[in-house]
CSV table of all heavy atoms in Angstrom, one decimal:
chain,number,residue,atom,x,y,z
A,6,GLN,N,7.0,-10.8,9.0
A,6,GLN,CA,5.8,-10.8,8.1
A,6,GLN,C,5.3,-12.2,7.9
A,6,GLN,O,6.1,-13.1,8.0
A,6,GLN,CB,6.1,-10.2,6.8
A,6,GLN,CG,6.4,-8.7,6.8
A,6,GLN,CD,6.8,-8.3,5.4
A,6,GLN,OE1,7.8,-7.6,5.2
A,6,GLN,NE2,5.9,-8.5,4.4
A,7,MET,N,4.0,-12.3,7.5
A,7,MET,CA,3.5,-13.6,7.2
A,7,MET,C,4.3,-14.2,6.0
A,7,MET,O,4.7,-13.4,5.1
A,7,MET,CB,2.0,-13.6,6.9
A,7,MET,CG,1.6,-12.8,5.6
A,7,MET,SD,-0.2,-12.7,5.5
A,7,MET,CE,-0.6,-14.4,5.0
A,8,GLU,N,4.4,-15.5,5.9
A,8,GLU,CA,5.1,-16.1,4.8
A,8,GLU,C,4.3,-16.0,3.6
A,8,GLU,O,3.1,-16.0,3.5
A,8,GLU,CB,5.3,-17.6,5.2
A,8,GLU,CG,6.2,-17.9,6.3
A,8,GLU,CD,7.6,-17.9,5.9
A,8,GLU,OE1,7.9,-18.1,4.7
A,8,GLU,OE2,8.5,-17.8,6.8
A,9,GLY,N,5.0,-15.8,2.5
A,9,GLY,CA,4.4,-15.8,1.2
A,9,GLY,C,4.7,-17.1,0.4
A,9,GLY,O,5.3,-18.0,1.0
A,10,PRO,N,4.4,-17.1,-0.9
A,10,PRO,CA,3.6,-16.2,-1.6
A,10,PRO,C,2.2,-16.3,-1.3
A,10,PRO,O,1.7,-17.3,-0.8
A,10,PRO,CB,3.9,-16.5,-3.0
A,10,PRO,CG,4.2,-18.0,-3.0
A,10,PRO,CD,4.9,-18.2,-1.7
A,11,VAL,N,1.4,-15.2,-1.5
A,11,VAL,CA,0.0,-15.2,-1.3
A,11,VAL,C,-0.6,-15.0,-2.7
A,11,VAL,O,-0.2,-14.1,-3.5
A,11,VAL,CB,-0.4,-14.0,-0.4
A,11,VAL,CG1,-1.9,-13.9,-0.4
A,11,VAL,CG2,0.2,-14.2,1.0
A,12,THR,N,-1.6,-15.8,-3.0
A,12,THR,CA,-2.3,-15.7,-4.3
A,12,THR,C,-3.8,-15.6,-4.0
A,12,THR,O,-4.4,-16.4,-3.3
A,12,THR,CB,-2.0,-17.0,-5.2
A,12,THR,OG1,-0.6,-17.1,-5.4
A,12,THR,CG2,-2.8,-16.9,-6.5
A,13,LEU,N,-4.4,-14.6,-4.6
A,13,LEU,CA,-5.8,-14.3,-4.4
A,13,LEU,C,-6.5,-14.0,-5.8
A,13,LEU,O,-5.8,-13.7,-6.8
A,13,LEU,CB,-6.0,-13.1,-3.5
A,13,LEU,CG,-5.5,-13.2,-2.1
A,13,LEU,CD1,-5.6,-11.8,-1.4
A,13,LEU,CD2,-6.3,-14.2,-1.3
A,14,SER,N,-7.8,-14.1,-5.8
A,14,SER,CA,-8.5,-13.7,-7.0
A,14,SER,C,-8.9,-12.2,-6.9
A,14,SER,O,-9.0,-11.7,-5.8
A,14,SER,CB,-9.8,-14.6,-7.1
A,14,SER,OG,-9.5,-15.9,-7.3
A,15,GLU,N,-9.1,-11.6,-8.0
A,15,GLU,CA,-9.5,-10.2,-8.0
A,15,GLU,C,-10.8,-10.0,-7.2
A,15,GLU,O,-11.6,-10.9,-7.2
A,15,GLU,CB,-9.8,-9.8,-9.5
A,15,GLU,CG,-9.6,-8.3,-9.7
A,15,GLU,CD,-9.5,-8.0,-11.2
A,15,GLU,OE1,-9.9,-8.8,-12.0
A,15,GLU,OE2,-8.9,-6.9,-11.6
A,16,GLU,N,-10.8,-8.9,-6.5
A,16,GLU,CA,-11.9,-8.5,-5.6
A,16,GLU,C,-11.9,-9.2,-4.3
A,16,GLU,O,-12.8,-9.0,-3.4
A,16,GLU,CB,-13.3,-8.6,-6.3
A,16,GLU,CG,-13.4,-7.8,-7.6
A,16,GLU,CD,-14.7,-7.8,-8.2
A,16,GLU,OE1,-15.6,-8.5,-7.7
A,16,GLU,OE2,-14.9,-7.2,-9.2
A,17,ALA,N,-10.9,-10.1,-4.0
A,17,ALA,CA,-10.9,-10.7,-2.7
A,17,ALA,C,-10.4,-9.8,-1.7
A,17,ALA,O,-9.8,-8.7,-2.0
A,17,ALA,CB,-9.9,-11.9,-2.8
A,18,PHE,N,-10.6,-10.1,-0.4
A,18,PHE,CA,-10.1,-9.4,0.8
A,18,PHE,C,-8.7,-9.8,1.1
A,18,PHE,O,-8.4,-11.0,1.1
A,18,PHE,CB,-11.0,-9.6,2.0
A,18,PHE,CG,-10.6,-8.8,3.2
A,18,PHE,CD1,-11.1,-7.5,3.3
A,18,PHE,CD2,-9.8,-9.3,4.2
A,18,PHE,CE1,-10.7,-6.7,4.4
A,18,PHE,CE2,-9.4,-8.5,5.2
A,18,PHE,CZ,-9.9,-7.2,5.4
A,19,LEU,N,-7.8,-8.8,1.3
A,19,LEU,CA,-6.4,-9.1,1.6
A,19,LEU,C,-6.0,-8.7,3.0
A,19,LEU,O,-6.4,-7.6,3.5
A,19,LEU,CB,-5.5,-8.3,0.6
A,19,LEU,CG,-4.0,-8.2,1.0
A,19,LEU,CD1,-3.4,-9.6,0.7
A,19,LEU,CD2,-3.3,-7.1,0.2
A,20,THR,N,-5.3,-9.6,3.7
A,20,THR,CA,-4.6,-9.3,4.9
A,20,THR,C,-3.2,-9.8,4.8
A,20,THR,O,-3.0,-11.0,4.5
A,20,THR,CB,-5.3,-9.9,6.1
A,20,THR,OG1,-6.6,-9.4,6.3
A,20,THR,CG2,-4.5,-9.6,7.4
Side-chain angles (χ1 to χ4, degrees):
Chain A
Q6 292 180 231
M7 67 184 286
E8 294 276 341
V11 175
T12 302
L13 297 172
S14 297
E15 206 165 21
E16 300 184 0
F18 184 86
L19 168 70
T20 300

